[in-house]
Amino acid sequence: MRIKTLFMQGFDATGILNDSQDGSGCSSGFTLSSTCLDTSRSSAMQWSKTDYIVSTNPEDQDLDVIHGFLSQSYWARNIPRETVARSLQGALCFALLHKGRQIGFARVISDSATIAYLGDVFVLPEYRGRGLAGWLLECVTAHPQLQGLRRWILATADAHGLYEKFGFTALKRPEIFMELHDPEVYSADR
């Protein structure tokens, strides 16, 4: 193994690269991908800035914090803990940590070739206003597995200005997009 370090705008990212084929169908390089999801520590990346860390290591994800926030959010109100746990397993997740405590989160669902869906982005209220959401998005969009994609998509009701700083725009042709949406899927009345 060899270590690859990336330097970007005042923070660094470290990821461990495999020197040879690992038997999972992944070639040399970062092995965390949707087709060869390796959630071991050896495939995780980490960025640091002062007392803050962004990590893709599943061991750094605090399900209590993630579920606690999402279950109260406008987009996933009442989401069951088991559903959140399952969603983490099928995505590339980014935990934002302050001195070892998770304070933010983002996850990406992608085929690592053409498209990525960015979702569940949050920073806990007491940590907002410090530029951490922007830094978290810098880390997400810098991840080697997410380069060269034709399209990124996301949904937001209130953070348009933040995402616009990263090149996101309103749908240019919303008439070609469709959805299958069940807003009551997490309702106790079902």
Side-chain angles (χ1 to χ4, degrees), residues 72-135:
Q72 299 302 311
S73 69
Y74 71 82
W75 67 88
R77 185 163 314 282
N78 299 321
I79 188 170
R81 180 181 172 86
E82 300 76 31
T83 302
V84 173
R86 204 168 64 240
S87 75
L88 303 182
Q89 294 172 0
L92 176 56
C93 299
F94 296 77
L96 173 60
L97 310 165
H98 180 245
K99 298 182 179 178
R101 175 181 175 236
Q102 184 161 4
I103 61 161
F105 181 72
R107 72 185 182 101
V108 178
I109 303 162
S110 178
D111 62 7
S112 302
T114 62
I115 192 166
Y117 172 79
L118 174 62
D120 296 337
V121 179
F122 70 85
V123 173
L124 294 177
E126 61 268 31
Y127 287 91
R128 293 181 186 163
R130 304 178 193 190
L132 295 170
W135 181 56

Side-chain angles (χ1 to χ4, degrees), residues 178-182:
M178 297 179 70
E179 69 176 350
L180 180 59
H181 183 232
D182 183 354

Side-chain angles (χ1 to χ4, degrees), residues 18-107:
N18 293 326
D19 286 325
S20 62
Q21 192 82 358
D22 65 3
S24 68
C26 300
S27 59
S28 295
F30 289 92
T31 60
L32 189 60
S33 74
S34 59
T35 56
C36 50
L37 187 61
D38 176 0
T39 58
S40 68
R41 180 175 288 278
S42 66
S43 63
M45 290 192 66
Q46 187 175 91
W47 295 258
S48 61
K49 184 177 192 177
T50 60
D51 291 336
Y52 299 96
I53 291 173
V54 172
S55 171
T56 62
N57 187 337
E59 293 177 17
D60 291 330
Q61 297 164 19
D62 185 332
L63 183 58
D64 290 333
V65 171
I66 299 166
H67 174 256
F69 186 90
L70 293 180
S71 66
Q72 299 302 311
S73 69
Y74 71 82
W75 67 88
R77 185 163 314 282
N78 299 321
I79 188 170
R81 180 181 172 86
E82 300 76 31
T83 302
V84 173
R86 204 168 64 240
S87 75
L88 303 182
Q89 294 172 0
L92 176 56
C93 299
F94 296 77
L96 173 60
L97 310 165
H98 180 245
K99 298 182 179 178
R101 175 181 175 236
Q102 184 161 4
I103 61 161
F105 181 72
R107 72 185 182 101

Side-chain angles (χ1 to χ4, degrees), residues 74-75 128 155-163:
Y74 71 82
W75 67 88
R128 293 181 186 163
T156 186
D158 57 4
H160 297 80
L162 172 66
Y163 296 114

Side-chain angles (χ1 to χ4, degrees), residues 135-150:
W135 181 56
L136 176 59
L137 290 175
E138 284 181 32
C139 298
V140 169
T141 58
H143 194 286
Q145 177 186 332
L146 302 173
Q147 301 308 301
L149 303 177
R150 180 174 182 216

